[in-house]
Amino acid sequence: QVQLAQSGAEVKKPGASVKVSCKVYGYTLTELTMHWVRQAPGKGLEWMGGFDPEDDETMYAQKFQGRVTMTEDTSTATAYMELSSLRSEDTAVYYCATLGDSVEFDIWGQGTMVTVSS
Amino acid sequence: QSALTQPASVSGSPGQSITISCTGTNNDVGSYNLVSWYQQHPGKAPKLMTYEGNKRPSGVSNRFSGSTSGNTASLTISGLQAEDEADYYCCSYAGRGVVFGGGTKLTVL
């Protein structure tokens, strides 16, 4: 049974960067396709990006191009999402989620609240 | 990619059936039978309910069913129960990445 455990809440100032981690239990990271989704307070889900196994590369939503970097450390079974040049609109819960073969997000982390405030 | 269109809210009484629509375009819902639906209770992570048409993960009640016709996908919940009250989101493959719907709040009266 795959479980995803995310890092704790963060408070950042505008212009700073944040790096959220997502540790995998019960499976090897290389067998999973990890993606990231965020949700601003009171708002809907927003896809940020993730690994594309067909192209063997990470793809990012156009909105976040140039500001987001998603990486993986297979030695610790941990995926990371780093978002830079933070602004207040980036205040949200950030989720890691595994993508299944039918493009479904089947397993989700518990979420990490990132607050951007001066 | 523009968000898929869902009604902001729907409601129903216990035991009734409701359907939530999700309208996309020829670039997403209309081109791929790869729509998934998620249930989210307040303060919780989303939970996968249906995917690729009408497939359900193990453990999800068969009261939940998905379907697609043209550019519109639908989630039907039959035999409404109090615990079904939640937000529901659709999601479609869009050729390069995915796009979510804006979400629908289901109220069980």
Side-chain angles (χ1 to χ4, degrees):
Chain A
Q1 171 110 357
V2 179
Q3 287 188 310
L4 307 178
Q6 297 185 224
S7 47
E10 303 260 16
V11 179
K12 297 291 183 180
K13 293 194 181 301
S17 297
V18 68
K19 193 170 186 177
V20 179
S21 68
C22 172
K23 186 170 175 59
V24 176
Y25 294 93
Y27 234 77
T28 57
L29 186 52
T30 53
E31 295 177 288
L32 301 172
T33 302
M34 195 68 72
H35 281 240
W36 293 84
V37 175
R38 78 176 187 180
Q39 185 173 36
K43 302 295 185 182
L45 301 173
E46 181 175 32
W47 176 72
M48 298 182 69
F51 187 72
D52 182 353
E54 290 193 5
D55 292 341
D56 197 26
E57 64 180 20
T58 301
M59 55 180 172
Y60 302 118
Q62 190 170 5
K63 176 177 180 176
F64 302 101
Q65 287 274 3
R67 267 207 316 143
V68 68
T69 304
M70 297 171 186
T71 56
E72 296 180 356
D73 183 342
T74 54
S75 67
T76 60
T78 303
Y80 297 93
M81 186 285 298
E82 184 170 21
L83 188 62
S84 62
S85 302
L86 290 170
R87 34 208 187 231
S88 59
E89 309 91 88
D90 294 319
T91 293
V93 176
Y94 289 77
Y95 293 101
C96 58
T98 59
L99 193 70
D101 293 337
S102 299
V103 196
E104 79 279 13
F105 296 108
D106 46 8
I107 307 293
W108 294 69
Q110 83 274 21
T112 296
M113 182 69 209
V114 174
T115 302
V116 182
S117 174
S118 55
Chain B
Q1 296 162 336
S2 298
L4 307 176
T5 301
Q6 298 181 233
S9 62
V10 298
S11 63
S13 300
Q16 287 186 330
S17 294
I18 62 94
T19 297
I20 300 172
S21 63
C22 168
T23 302
T25 69
N26 289 330
N27 296 320
D28 37 64
V29 176
S31 289
Y32 310 97
N33 187 29
L34 294 173
V35 175
S36 49
W37 286 89
Y38 303 86
Q39 176 191 66
Q40 186 180 36
H41 287 111
K44 301 294 187 181
K47 175 186 176 184
L48 177 66
M49 303 305 284
T50 72
Y51 64 101
E52 197 183 354
N54 192 23
K55 295 182 179 179
R56 280 183 305 274
S58 173
V60 172
S61 170
N62 59 9
R63 297 187 298 106
F64 293 84
S65 62
S67 63
T68 302
S69 178
N71 292 340
T72 299
S74 299
L75 174 71
T76 297
I77 308 174
S78 59
L80 268 181
Q81 299 179 0
E83 57 262 37
D84 298 334
E85 184 162 297
D87 293 326
Y88 290 85
Y89 295 91
C90 60
C91 178
S92 175
Y93 180 60
R96 179 129 182 101
V98 301
V99 60
F100 282 97
T104 297
K105 181 175 181 58
L106 168 62
T107 300
V108 180
L109 302 171

